[in-house]
Amino acid sequence: MRLPDHVTICEVGTRDGFQIEPEFIPTEQKVEVVDRLSEAGVPRIEVTSFVHPKAVPQLRDAEAVMAAIRRRPGTRYAALVPNDKGAARAVDAGVDAIHTVVSASESHNLANVNMTIAESIEKLRAVAQIAGRAGVPVQCGVSTSFGCPFEGEVPVAQLESVVARLVDLGARGIGLADTTGMANPRQVSDVLERLLPRFPGIEWTLHTHDTRAMAIPNILTALACGVTNFDASIGGLGGCPFAPGASGNVCSEDLVHCLHAMGVQTGIDLTKLIAVSRRVEQIIGRALPGQVMKAGPSTRRYPVPDTVASRLQAG
Ligand code: COA
Ligand code: ZN
């Protein structure tokens, strides 16, 4: 298996994860989670989103969170924005990068941001101008890249056309999002083999949801195709409030564990990351789907039972 030496993980739990939590999480607890992620060495964090507070009430404290986090040199602090108003707020709040959102399917885009795809692209042009003036890089995420919960299959040509318009308006990075976990490894490979050569110089990110337990297989497939940036969510938190059936992202510590076990570095301290996951379980008051936090890393060893030990000694 050919693997890169290093991959870059972007933690999205405090945005994609927290956004669906019904009980408001106090600002200081959101800040604590971001700070602990920074201390664990996470290189990129999508801290929050600058969207309409009525659309996502949980993240209405975006400015306050950005103002209170402790910035670790080496971590890039980004936020999700859907339009120019969000971009202006994000730039004022001092984000290091802007992550935008548009869907590859019309119905999901209308449900998510109340705009057609064409209207969204016009807004994102304005976002790119605001970000450009502030010297902030823009990474454009494309929701429902591998399937839509309303429309089903999303033709690759349709995805390609959205990506082409985003690249035209100046996106440096493109994030392909499997919003409701519909992608499978063969499809991921087909899509990447078509898109990567078509848009040279773009930094690609795969954003997965583990709705159908295919997130890590999809990530391994993308790795084999040359993608080295992956979004993940602490404990496997997450889901889109405007996509029925959406559940959590790939679990950050499970992904980091998998990569480290294969000798692929992330710069993240797994033990500290698992501790953050446990803290998030306390904050939201329920267990998270992450598996390594329950099983421990594969290096964990148990005492040999006495009966087995005596037979081993007997030779
Ligand atoms: N932040 C705060 N307020 C915003 C805003 C933003 N990013 N964008 C627009 N608004 C305000 C406008 O200023 C306007 O305010 P006013 O009524 O006081 O004049 C009002 O919202 C309506 O503006 P409009 O452009 O018509 O927005 P809309 O009601 O059609 O909503 C979005 C569009 C994109 C703002 C909204 O659907 C949204 O925030 N969606 C977020 C979706 C999301 O986060 N999904 C999960 C992540 S994938
Ligand atoms: Zn998502």
Side-chain angles (χ1 to χ4, degrees), residues 241-252:
F242 309 100
S247 63
N249 299 95
V250 66
C251 167
S252 304

Side-chain angles (χ1 to χ4, degrees), residues 46 76-83 86-91 95-101 127-128 130-132 134 136-141:
E46 192 174 275
R76 184 174 101 168
Y77 299 91
L80 183 96
V81 314
N83 58 13
R89 288 176 59 204
V91 164
V95 298
D96 299 324
I98 282 180
H99 294 175
T100 67
V101 60
V127 168
I130 292 167
V136 173
V138 179
Q139 177 185 308
C140 293

Side-chain angles (χ1 to χ4, degrees), residues 108-279:
H108 184 265
N109 206 58
L110 283 163
N112 197 31
V113 291
N114 193 30
M115 290 181 268
T116 63
I117 293 174
E119 287 165 348
S120 263
I121 304 271
E122 278 322 298
K123 292 281 185 196
L124 298 187
R125 198 176 299 286
V127 168
Q129 281 161 4
I130 292 167
R133 281 199 293 274
V136 173
V138 179
Q139 177 185 308
C140 293
V142 185
S143 300
T144 64
S145 283
F146 301 94
C148 168
F150 307 114
E151 296 173 24
E153 193 192 332
V154 172
V156 192
Q158 192 173 315
L159 171 63
E160 187 171 338
S161 134
V162 173
V163 171
R165 284 179 270 168
L166 295 172
V167 171
D168 275 352
L169 62 80
R172 290 192 207 166
I174 297 286
L176 299 176
D178 184 22
T179 307
T180 56
M182 293 170 71
N184 65 68
R186 183 172 209 163
Q187 179 191 12
V188 168
S189 166
D190 288 348
V191 168
L192 293 175
E193 275 173 18
R194 171 149 167 185
L195 294 189
L196 266 57
R198 169 91 216 270
F199 303 100
I202 290 292
E203 181 191 86
W204 297 90
T205 297
L206 187 69
H207 175 100
T208 56
H209 284 261
D210 204 28
T211 321
R212 297 177 176 85
M214 289 192 280
I216 288 190
N218 288 333
I219 289 169
L220 295 180
T221 305
L223 266 179
C225 295
V227 174
T228 55
N229 295 278
F230 298 97
D231 288 352
S233 208
I234 189 78
L237 265 174
C240 172
F242 309 100
S247 63
N249 299 95
V250 66
C251 167
S252 304
E253 65 271 19
D254 289 359
L255 177 59
V256 167
H257 174 268
C258 170
L259 292 166
H260 289 186
M262 298 189 299
V264 179
Q265 298 314 310
T266 64
I268 298 173
D269 182 324
L270 179 62
T271 307
K272 287 186 180 168
L273 199 60
I274 292 173
V276 185
S277 208
R278 294 198 206 290
R279 175 67 183 126

